[in-house]
Amino acid sequence: HVQLVESGGGSVQAGGFLRLSCGASGYRYDTYCMGWFRQAPGKAREGIAVIDSDGDTAYAESMKDRFTISVDNAKNTLFLQMTSLKPEDTAMYYCAAAPGWIGESIALIPGVYTSWGQGTQVTVSS
């Protein structure tokens, strides 16, 4: 049973930056896809960025210029570097994981992922 624990959220001013981390434990897949998602109050959960075990990445078009996903396989940790933060980035941020390969066309769909962390809050003030 996989466990995902996010950290690194907080409150920042517009234009600031944060780096989120997600520690994974409990399993180790030969092939996998991991990603970052967020959910603002009253809105649906949306995909931000994903990375697979080959290091291939996919980003939501609206965030690809400001957010960068990466993974440290030795430490079983997933990261999300966020820059030029905007008030509309305020949300709960989640990491998620799924075994095996996921096609790029569906990789940013939350329902595809089987394991989720508890989330870390990001608040951006203007």
Side-chain angles (χ1 to χ4, degrees), residues 16-100:
F17 62 91
L18 284 173
R19 188 174 82 153
L20 306 183
S21 300
C22 174
S25 62
Y27 75 94
R28 188 165 181 84
Y29 297 138
D30 290 334
T31 59
Y32 65 82
C33 189
M34 296 186 73
W36 288 99
F37 299 78
R38 69 184 185 184
Q39 188 166 17
K43 295 187 177 182
R45 191 167 297 189
E46 62 175 341
I48 300 170
V50 298
I51 187 167
D52 67 19
S53 47
D54 279 348
D56 295 325
T57 59
Y59 289 86
E61 189 68 24
S62 62
M63 289 175 268
K64 66 178 184 178
D65 293 333
R66 298 186 295 121
F67 294 178
T68 303
I69 191 170
S70 61
V71 64
D72 184 333
N73 287 310
K75 296 182 179 179
N76 293 333
T77 303
L78 181 73
F79 300 100
L80 183 69
Q81 181 72 44
M82 304 187 294
T83 62
S84 301
L85 284 163
K86 305 174 182 179
E88 51 264 45
D89 293 319
T90 295
M92 186 71 79
Y93 284 68
Y94 300 90
C95 73

Side-chain angles (χ1 to χ4, degrees), residues 2 4 6 37 45 94-97 109-111 113-118:
V2 62
L4 303 172
E6 302 95 334
F37 299 78
R45 191 167 297 189
Y94 300 90
C95 73
I109 298 175
Y113 293 81
T114 54
S115 299
W116 291 84
Q118 82 291 345

